[in-house]
Amino acid sequence: MKVSLNLAQYYSNVDLKSIPADELVKRVGAQLGAVEEAIDWGKRYDGIYVAKVVSCQPHPDSDHMHVCMVDDGGVVTDVDRNADGLVQVVCGAPNVAEGQIVAWLSPGCTVPETADQTEPFVLGSRQLRGVTSNGMIGSARELGLADEHEGILILSVDQFESVEEAARLMHPGTPFKQLLGLDDLIIDCENKMFTHRPDCFGNLGVARELAGISGLKFVSPDWYLQPLEVATNDNGINLQIKNDIPKLVPRFMAQSVSGVKVMPGPLWQQASLSRVGIRPINNLVDWSNYYMHLTGQPTHAFDYDKLLKVGGGDSVTLGPRLAKEGEQLKLLGGKVINLDPADMVICANDVPVGLAGVMGGADTEVDESTTRIVIECATFDMYTIRRSSMRHGLFTDAVTRYNKGQSPWQNPIVLAKLVSDIVAQTGGQTGACHDFKADDLKTNQPIRLSPDFINQRLGSSLNIDELHELLVRVEMTVEKVYDDLSVTAPWWRMDIEIPEDIVEEVGRLYGFDKLPVVLPRRSAKAADRDLLQDAKSLVRGSLAKAGANEVLTYSFVHGDLITKAGQDTKEAYQLRNALSPELQYYRLTLTPSLVAQMHPNLKAGYDQFALFEINKTHVKMHGLNDENVPAELNMIALCYVAGEKTAKQQPGAAFYHARRLLDQLAHGFGLTLRYEPLPNDPPYQVCKPFDWQRSALVYDDASGEFIGQIGEYTANLRRNFKLPPHSAGFEISLEALAKCRRALPYRSASRFPSTTQDITLEADSTKTHGEILASLRRAAADQSDYQIDIEPLSSFRPDTPDKVRHSFRLVVGHPQHTLKTEEANQLLSRIESAVGGDCGATRI
Amino acid sequence: MDKIQATKQLLLERLASLDAPKSILRAPELKALFDELSKLPSEQRGELGRAVNLLRQELEQAAAEREGQAETLPPIDVTAPFDINALRPSLLPADQGSIHPLMAELEYILDIFYRMGFTAIESRQIDDDYHMFESLNFPAGHPARDDYDTFMTEEGLIAPAHTSTMQNRVLKMLKTNLTNGEPIAAVIPGRVFRNEDVDVTHEHTFYQLEGIYVDKGINVGNLVAVLRAFMSEYFGQELKAKLQPFYFPFTEPSFEFAIERPAALRKGDTEADMWLELLGCGMIHPNVLTMAGIDPAVYTGFAWGGGIERLVLMKYGIEDIRHFESAKLSFLRQFA
């Protein structure tokens, strides 16, 4: 929203221009909303002066150029002049003539039209076919005022808002920026700041706020507080209105004017519109845009004769309805859209002639031949407008304003002012004013609240009189009722409904930056720690220390990623409005996202690494929780790979590398894990990426709590994600890990030295290492007088087929005495025979 | 025909010993057959052509089968900590390990809030309309509620666009604090999603931290004080702060909170360079408190929410937000 300070001042009862610009901009930022940019507009016109063409001769060497001598009142110093003090300028425009008052752009100044371009055009004194031209005489377009480029801009009295103004300024030497309100401050406020402030999408609304935050009491112009009286009569236009959708269009007004003349609007108005970024078109469109920019209320002018032609018949019934399936509309600019049944359209005799609140139709557009018009001014449902705008990709100034929810009470005011200004300018006869008004239009009710209520929420200490003073500045009706305030917001503030809204107004008008800044007081009670956050922190530290790298990958994945990992997309929550197929599904588990990242890193030259991620997963199979939202699992996944060369140097399956990392992680949580072979084809999505013959389910050994899954990946997955054979990973539950977390195991130091013995047990290869270790532990536990620590050392396949030899290191001690070799040997043979009986392993 | 049979026999035998099974399709014997075929007059090619093609297909299938066998590895003893005939693997070098910079920053931030007396509760990644909109005072038909802005599932579930989706839950969960004379003070970190095209400065997936504080007599001045206290701690220096009025349905009044940009992070001296808009905040809307069963006439509170990415981008001078979710080791190991 670009706000013109000159325009704001023009409609203000208070002096806004005397506030220093930077001070004003700062106040807007602190008390109204963020300022994107504040532009000193007049700067664009530095070096441009009003000048008179004293003589104008054909260029000796050109069939269209003229050599002019201009009088600038002698204000420019650095320029060549003739004996009479005149400056020579070559002009190529066909309309240049002696005696004209023009805008002269002196050498060294920038052409305003190019001011926003990356390389603005700076004028100089240069030769044009052998004749020196000092700067140039500007056209309206070069001056950034209008699109017109028929020739140079010739200044005349009727371009000014008043004859007095013209008389005061239209003489050689006047800086051009003093004309037409060009010496302006344009404050570009971020649109999102005013989401709930439809009034601030009008320059008038912002003017009121500027006054309010500057400590001044604003009074709106009379025409804004009461609709102007507009004389109406039978102007030969047969117009009716009809509203099929009063819920979506609570107010719909239309009025006709006959005998209008379509022409370029006055220059001062074109200049006003240009400054706030609106392109001047013709007087009718310009008036409509001017009041839209001033009040926030869009209007639309139709050509009545075209309405007749399009609608058929000898009268027009204009009004909104929902579009019908299959209907089309050709918009201004020529684009044809297929209407959606959720679009609101304006119809003439049931034929769509405009996309309500978004854009008018091409077939009923006002053009130079138009003499009879119908002006529509209405209130449309903001959300319906927004959806139509998004659906058709049409982002107009009208949409920007309508989708903030304009007040229906503004419709008659803007319509009356617009019609009367058009008639005043072009003449014409005004027809009857048609007004559909829903019975239940909201009116603002008084809100009663105490100064305490306000002060408690702001931390301020304002008394009732100060509060009164603040609120009336922006035209709130405020009464004192005993010790309370009764505040009624004006009709243009549809956003004020509850006492807290008044608190906000007070805070804003007073200045939030003036409130005392005090930390809240609380007891010294410690804040509860979040166990999951703590667990995550521990996981990160532990895995990073083990050389793994934490990654974050998207929660949304392509369906292909899921199926390539052997999982089922039917189990995944699917987005109905994904940005692309890449992001169509919530991932089922973290592993597929990780394995997809291994190949790119291998290709980038990393040969051995592990990536891990801590994040959430969702599987439909887990159903909804007690809040009726999908169960959400907190998971940790890791994927380890080594390239061919590295893998060869470190014999052994990748599984054991992943397991090493997982054991290390578990150790940090004080856990010893138990690994159990996986049953064939388990029904869980988390298991699908893994080759069940080279995978295990993982449990906390002490509590038996299920932790997760570890393993190597299926051949299919490896092929699909270009993983080398030496790859493995795990996906485990963070919650389970956190739940089982316990203090690190500690054994007190024995006063008596212990003995270390390595033993090797040979067993059938059908016996798992786990079974043998468990058997060994049981046997050791039976020797309860002794402290026995068992550490697996290695496993070897001897020459005997079907046998495996497992080596363990036993550290044996006794709490009361030093073990003699004999005693230790006896102990070991007891253990050995127990294991032999238990699982048939024999000591070698 | 005999020749084809013989070639087939020969090639299948050779296939069994090849490291790259597919290379059998480039065997000179097979090529010779095709060459022979091309020399025949076209009317005589029929039968032999079919046979040669069949042979090629058979070899192709056999090669694929062998490839599959080669890929599927034999079972292992998963109960063991090491492979047979192999040492127990060592961990990866500790100096290569790294924590994701976003997560490291988040932990650092949480630690400050812990010290300030805030508990932490993580946000959800899939939620429903009630928590995301209804309980946050979004009016029916609000733009955020349609799917131009917010990701939604086929079931109508929502990928939260902000961590405020947890406000109602956390207020309810910690409501007993108030009756015990303690404030509700919580921060809510989490991953959020926005229907936005990705570029150097925009991500559809990012991290936010929400905060809420509710007690008797909590006011706007308290809000500023808490946020400023955090910023001073985080940046390690006293910084000016300012509030800019804003609009959110779930706070009233609402603000954007900006701090004076630390000199080290300043690029120029315009007003925009001076300030850093860090988060959105405001006094919790009375309707939001009411929906959580807290009486807004007795208790007031404030809430805020801001992104984590920007802090990290600034801290390290990271040029592209997309690095965060890229899983590139070249990026990650810089934080080792």
Side-chain angles (χ1 to χ4, degrees):
Chain A
M1 171 68 192
K2 286 185 174 157
V3 176
S4 152
L5 185 61
N6 279 346
L7 203 56
Q9 181 60 67
Y10 185 80
Y11 290 98
S12 270
N13 61 311
V14 295
D15 185 4
L16 299 171
K17 295 240 2 170
S18 64
I19 305 166
D22 51 345
E23 170 68 28
L24 193 67
V25 171
K26 204 175 262 183
R27 266 189 215 160
V28 170
Q31 289 174 264
L32 191 56
V35 175
E36 212 150 308
E37 200 184 1
I39 307 160
D40 177 356
W41 198 263
K43 230 175 165 173
R44 297 176 173 224
Y45 295 93
D46 282 347
I48 306 178
Y49 296 92
V50 176
K52 185 174 180 179
V53 180
V54 177
S55 68
C56 179
Q57 301 296 325
H59 189 295
D61 193 22
S62 160
D63 56 0
H64 71 284
M65 287 196 279
H66 288 86
V67 180
C68 306
M69 297 308 294
V70 304
D71 173 13
D72 67 334
V75 292
V76 175
T77 48
D78 262 1
V79 69
D80 290 336
R81 297 178 182 278
N82 69 7
D84 299 328
L86 302 179
V87 183
Q88 179 172 291
V89 186
V90 176
C91 181
N95 64 337
V96 66
E98 196 177 298
Q100 289 168 339
I101 302 288
V102 297
W104 173 54
L105 289 74
S106 65
C109 84
T110 303
V111 178
E113 185 194 5
T114 68
D116 294 327
Q117 295 169 4
T118 41
E119 281 181 41
F121 188 76
V122 180
L123 292 167
S125 296
R126 64 197 73 186
Q127 300 287 315
L128 290 175
R129 300 219 183 154
V131 179
T132 302
S133 180
N134 296 295
M136 65 186 258
I137 298 172
S139 69
R141 185 157 91 188
E142 285 152 352
L143 290 163
L145 301 176
D147 261 359
E148 204 186 349
H149 199 49
E150 305 271 294
I152 55 165
L153 173 70
I154 302 155
L155 292 170
S156 61
V157 174
D158 60 359
Q159 290 157 338
F160 291 79
E161 274 207 276
S162 69
V163 179
E164 298 77 44
E165 192 193 8
R168 186 162 54 83
L169 300 170
M170 232 177 69
H171 53 79
T174 305
F176 189 71
K177 67 176 167 189
Q178 290 182 11
L179 277 57
L180 308 164
L182 294 172
D183 194 7
D184 202 355
L185 175 69
I186 304 298
I187 306 174
D188 191 358
C189 297
E190 281 183 28
N191 278 359
K192 61 183 181 178
M193 311 305 304
F194 296 148
T195 307
H196 66 316
R197 289 295 302 271
D199 60 314
C200 285
F201 277 90
N203 212 126
L204 185 62
V206 176
R208 184 181 301 110
E209 294 301 323
L210 291 179
I213 62 179
S214 303
L216 305 168
K217 187 175 180 317
F218 191 84
V219 181
S220 293
D222 291 343
W223 61 263
Y224 194 69
L225 297 173
Q226 281 296 325
L228 290 176
E229 296 282 345
V230 178
T232 62
N233 48 37
D234 181 2
N235 59 359
I237 291 178
N238 195 347
L239 175 71
Q240 298 300 322
I241 63 169
K242 173 170 178 264
N243 185 356
D244 288 352
I245 42 173
K247 284 253 176 315
L248 296 176
V249 188
R251 194 154 199 177
F252 187 84
M253 300 185 71
Q255 194 160 14
S256 65
V257 185
S258 69
V260 298
K261 279 200 292 287
V262 179
M263 53 189 174
L267 193 62
W268 66 264
Q269 191 176 49
Q270 294 188 345
S272 297
L273 292 172
S274 307
R275 289 202 297 282
V276 293
I278 299 174
R279 199 164 59 94
I281 311 270
N282 60 44
N283 55 341
L284 297 185
V285 176
D286 288 359
W287 277 116
S288 168
N289 283 338
Y290 183 80
Y291 281 110
M292 174 181 71
H293 186 264
L294 190 64
T295 65
Q297 173 63 51
T299 53
H300 184 73
F302 297 94
D303 181 316
Y304 174 71
D305 295 293
K306 291 184 184 172
L307 286 176
L308 277 178
K309 198 170 146 209
V310 171
D314 52 9
S315 69
V316 168
T317 301
L318 193 74
R321 66 163 167 80
L322 288 175
K324 293 171 188 160
E325 199 75 62
E327 277 183 328
Q328 287 192 325
L329 179 66
K330 189 175 170 194
L331 297 168
L332 292 175
K335 183 182 172 186
V336 178
I337 58 168
N338 293 312
L339 293 165
D340 185 281
D343 289 329
M344 295 182 288
V345 286
I346 306 296
C347 291
N349 303 343
D350 211 42
V351 179
V353 292
L355 186 58
V358 180
M359 199 185 262
D363 296 337
T364 51
E365 180 179 8
V366 168
D367 63 27
E368 276 121 42
S369 64
T370 302
T371 57
R372 303 200 285 178
I373 57 169
V374 175
I375 298 173
E376 162 224 301
C377 184
T379 303
F380 299 109
D381 176 64
M382 58 199 253
Y383 300 130
T384 309
I385 295 272
R386 179 173 185 277
R387 282 190 286 270
S388 284
S389 153
M390 299 294 279
R391 190 177 296 127
H392 300 294
L394 300 168
F395 306 98
T396 57
D397 287 327
V399 169
T400 305
R401 286 165 175 83
Y402 269 131
N403 69 17
K404 307 302 179 297
Q406 293 296 332
S407 171
W409 303 105
Q410 191 166 243
N411 294 169
I413 283 166
V414 172
L415 184 59
K417 178 68 174 157
L418 178 60
V419 166
S420 64
D421 279 1
I422 289 174
V423 171
Q425 193 201 17
T426 82
Q429 298 286 318
T430 309
C433 178
H434 300 273
D435 183 5
F436 170 87
K437 189 164 76 169
D439 299 331
D440 56 350
L441 286 188
K442 201 189 105 185
T443 51
N444 284 330
Q445 299 302 313
I447 295 170
R448 190 167 160 173
L449 77 176
S450 68
D452 275 356
F453 185 91
I454 297 172
N455 288 325
Q456 273 165 15
R457 282 157 180 77
L458 291 176
S460 54
S461 45
L462 296 162
N463 66 36
I464 195 162
D465 294 322
E466 289 167 321
L467 292 168
H468 183 281
E469 204 275 314
L470 286 171
L471 291 166
V472 296
R473 283 184 200 163
V474 289
E475 302 183 89
M476 301 260 177
T477 306
V478 187
E479 283 172 42
K480 289 184 214 169
V481 184
Y482 303 106
D483 291 337
D484 287 354
L485 291 165
S486 170
V487 184
T488 312
W491 54 258
W492 53 84
R493 291 298 303 273
M494 304 296 280
D495 58 304
I496 297 211
E497 291 172 313
I498 57 171
E500 279 78 1
D501 294 326
I502 304 293
V503 174
E504 173 171 20
E505 283 305 293
V506 170
R508 226 167 36 69
L509 292 165
Y510 176 68
F512 289 111
D513 49 349
K514 291 189 212 145
L515 299 175
V517 175
V518 183
L519 281 169
R521 301 172 71 88
R522 63 185 296 275
S523 72
K525 185 176 175 290
D528 291 335
R529 289 201 72 99
D530 177 35
L531 296 182
L532 275 190
Q533 290 297 340
D534 285 358
K536 281 186 190 181
S537 196
L538 187 58
V539 171
R540 281 188 190 111
S542 177
L543 288 178
K545 205 166 79 182
N549 301 96
E550 185 181 21
V551 301
L552 292 170
T553 55
Y554 292 141
S555 301
F556 304 138
V557 297
H558 198 294
D560 280 356
L561 184 92
I562 295 178
T563 47
K564 276 182 180 172
Q567 297 174 330
D568 186 355
T569 53
K570 284 207 250 356
E571 280 294 320
Y573 290 98
Q574 188 179 0
L575 294 181
R576 68 173 182 224
N577 58 339
L579 287 170
S580 72
E582 299 282 313
L583 306 165
Q584 209 178 348
Y585 290 96
Y586 268 91
R587 53 182 161 179
L588 290 163
T589 69
L590 306 177
T591 295
S593 306
L594 286 187
V595 295
Q597 298 302 336
M598 303 315 271
H599 178 69
N601 280 307
L602 282 164
K603 238 176 96 184
Y606 298 92
D607 199 46
Q608 186 185 28
F609 55 91
L611 302 183
F612 73 99
E613 177 163 8
I614 309 171
N615 226 313
K616 294 170 187 275
T617 62
H618 310 83
V619 184
K620 283 185 183 171
M621 190 180 156
H622 296 304
L624 304 177
N625 67 11
D626 49 11
E627 278 183 329
N628 234 9
V629 290
E632 195 162 71
L633 303 182
N634 284 285
M635 303 299 284
I636 308 161
L638 175 142
C639 180
Y640 160 85
V641 294
E644 204 177 342
K645 229 167 103 191
T646 312
K648 267 193 185 135
Q649 290 161 357
Q650 301 172 7
F655 172 88
Y656 301 101
H657 285 262
R659 178 174 161 162
R660 177 78 175 89
L661 291 163
L662 181 54
D663 281 333
Q664 179 70 17
L665 172 62
H667 177 73
F669 280 79
L671 311 187
T672 303
L673 299 179
R674 193 172 77 238
Y675 294 80
E676 290 190 358
L678 203 67
N680 186 4
D681 202 18
Y684 304 105
Q685 296 299 321
V686 67
C687 299
K688 299 294 182 191
F690 295 98
D691 173 359
W692 69 275
Q693 297 199 85
R694 293 171 77 87
S695 296
L697 297 176
V698 185
Y699 299 85
D700 168 34
D701 197 34
S703 66
E705 178 86 19
F706 178 63
I707 303 283
Q709 154 109 30
I710 182 168
E712 294 186 5
Y713 306 108
T714 62
N716 259 332
L717 182 146
R718 278 189 276 119
R719 197 167 38 241
N720 291 337
F721 292 98
K722 296 188 178 150
L723 285 189
H726 197 76
S727 52
F730 57 78
E731 180 144 359
I732 60 169
S733 162
L734 176 74
E735 273 141 346
L737 210 54
K739 188 174 149 194
C740 297
R741 185 174 180 180
R742 60 181 76 91
L744 294 179
Y746 173 76
R747 172 164 288 174
S748 49
S750 169
R751 283 193 293 138
F752 303 97
S754 52
T755 308
T756 300
Q757 287 267 5
D758 291 352
I759 63 166
T760 298
L761 299 169
E762 185 173 278
D764 282 353
S765 60
T766 52
K767 286 279 169 222
T768 65
H769 187 276
E771 286 169 304
I772 293 160
L773 180 61
S775 168
L776 194 56
R777 288 211 168 114
R778 274 194 302 274
D782 286 343
Q783 309 300 320
S784 53
D785 290 347
Y786 298 91
Q787 273 190 356
I788 306 172
D789 289 340
I790 303 168
E791 185 199 342
L793 285 183
S794 59
S795 299
F796 287 93
R797 199 183 296 282
D799 294 339
T800 6
D802 306 331
K803 294 282 181 195
V804 179
R805 289 177 183 174
H806 304 281
S807 299
F808 300 91
R809 174 158 297 168
L810 274 61
V811 182
V812 188
H814 195 282
Q816 267 97 41
H817 63 266
T818 305
L819 280 196
K820 295 201 181 76
T821 317
E822 178 113 350
E823 188 184 1
N825 285 341
Q826 281 169 1
L827 177 70
L828 284 178
S829 52
R830 282 203 298 279
I831 290 175
E832 187 190 316
S833 73
V835 174
D838 200 18
C839 60
T842 51
R843 187 170 177 193
I844 303 292
Chain B
M1 285 304 133
D2 286 351
K3 194 172 174 190
I4 288 181
Q5 274 309 315
T7 312
K8 181 176 166 182
Q9 194 66 29
L10 178 80
L11 292 182
L12 283 176
E13 274 166 29
R14 189 183 304 160
L15 175 64
S17 63
L18 281 180
D19 279 343
K22 286 241 167 79
S23 67
I24 197 71
L25 298 173
R26 296 193 301 272
E29 292 85 350
L30 188 61
K31 190 170 178 297
L33 283 176
F34 276 103
D35 287 348
E36 197 174 306
L37 189 64
S38 64
K39 281 175 198 145
L40 285 178
S42 58
E43 62 275 12
Q44 292 175 30
R45 282 184 201 168
E47 199 186 345
L48 184 67
R50 273 190 292 279
V52 175
N53 272 325
L54 187 67
L55 170 62
R56 199 194 134 84
Q57 280 166 25
E58 282 172 340
L59 287 172
E60 214 170 329
Q61 199 180 341
E65 267 169 31
R66 240 218 78 206
E67 226 166 30
Q69 283 160 12
E71 285 180 7
T72 301
L73 301 166
I76 52 170
D77 181 358
V78 295
T79 67
F82 33 64
D83 210 346
I84 291 171
N85 297 351
L87 296 172
R88 185 177 187 215
S90 47
L91 296 171
L92 297 165
D95 59 1
Q96 285 179 7
S98 62
I99 293 175
H100 196 286
L102 270 183
M103 298 297 101
E105 205 65 13
L106 187 59
E107 287 191 11
Y108 177 63
I109 290 168
L110 287 181
D111 181 64
I112 296 175
F113 280 113
Y114 275 141
R115 286 188 280 131
M116 289 173 68
F118 287 79
T119 190
I121 297 163
E122 195 177 310
S123 183
R124 288 184 58 85
Q125 291 183 8
I126 187 167
D127 215 339
D128 59 6
D129 182 88
Y130 176 79
H131 289 95
M132 181 66 194
F133 299 123
E134 189 77 32
S135 69
L136 288 172
N137 197 41
F138 278 82
H142 188 281
R145 291 178 98 145
D146 62 40
D147 46 16
Y148 292 113
D149 278 4
T150 307
F151 288 122
M152 293 185 189
T153 71
E154 296 289 352
E155 296 84 1
L157 292 161
I158 288 155
H162 46 70
T163 41
S164 309
T165 199
M166 295 297 286
Q167 269 196 26
N168 179 266
R169 278 189 193 90
V170 174
L171 287 172
K172 277 183 185 159
M173 198 191 300
L174 301 179
K175 199 161 64 179
T176 48
N177 284 17
L178 297 175
T179 41
N180 295 335
E182 292 288 337
I184 294 175
V187 285
I188 308 159
R191 177 179 256 206
V192 293
F193 311 94
R194 262 173 226 180
N195 202 338
E196 204 160 340
D197 287 328
V198 174
D199 64 23
V200 175
T201 54
H202 294 90
E203 256 289 1
H204 51 68
T205 298
F206 55 101
Y207 284 81
Q208 263 196 346
L209 184 91
E210 183 96 355
I212 51 176
Y213 195 103
V214 180
D215 203 350
K216 281 182 185 163
I218 294 302
N219 59 49
V220 177
N222 298 147
L223 160 65
V224 180
V226 165
L227 292 178
R228 222 157 71 174
F230 167 76
M231 294 301 167
S232 303
E233 188 67 23
Y234 179 80
F235 288 104
Q237 54 184 303
E238 289 297 325
L239 295 166
K240 278 190 228 148
K242 70 172 182 181
L243 289 180
Q244 297 184 133
F246 202 73
Y247 171 75
F248 302 110
F250 41 99
T251 44
E252 176 80 41
S254 306
F255 309 99
E256 262 185 347
F257 181 85
I259 56 153
E260 177 193 10
R261 199 185 283 262
L265 301 174
R266 224 173 275 167
K267 287 198 182 112
D269 56 0
T270 67
E271 185 70 6
D273 290 316
M274 290 295 291
W275 296 96
L276 202 53
E277 277 162 26
L278 281 179
L279 43 87
C281 58
M283 299 300 289
I284 300 175
H285 196 284
N287 293 352
V288 174
L289 290 174
T290 305
M291 262 182 279
I294 295 170
D295 183 356
V298 181
Y299 297 101
T300 51
F302 56 82
W304 77 90
I308 309 291
E309 276 79 356
R310 215 145 66 93
L311 295 173
V312 183
L313 290 175
M314 275 190 323
K315 185 169 189 169
Y316 300 102
I318 297 169
E319 76 289 4
D320 189 339
I321 196 169
R322 291 172 293 193
H323 287 320
F324 288 136
E325 305 263 342
S326 71
K328 281 188 186 138
L329 283 170
S330 55
F331 173 75
L332 298 166
R333 286 204 178 156
Q334 296 192 44
F335 304 94

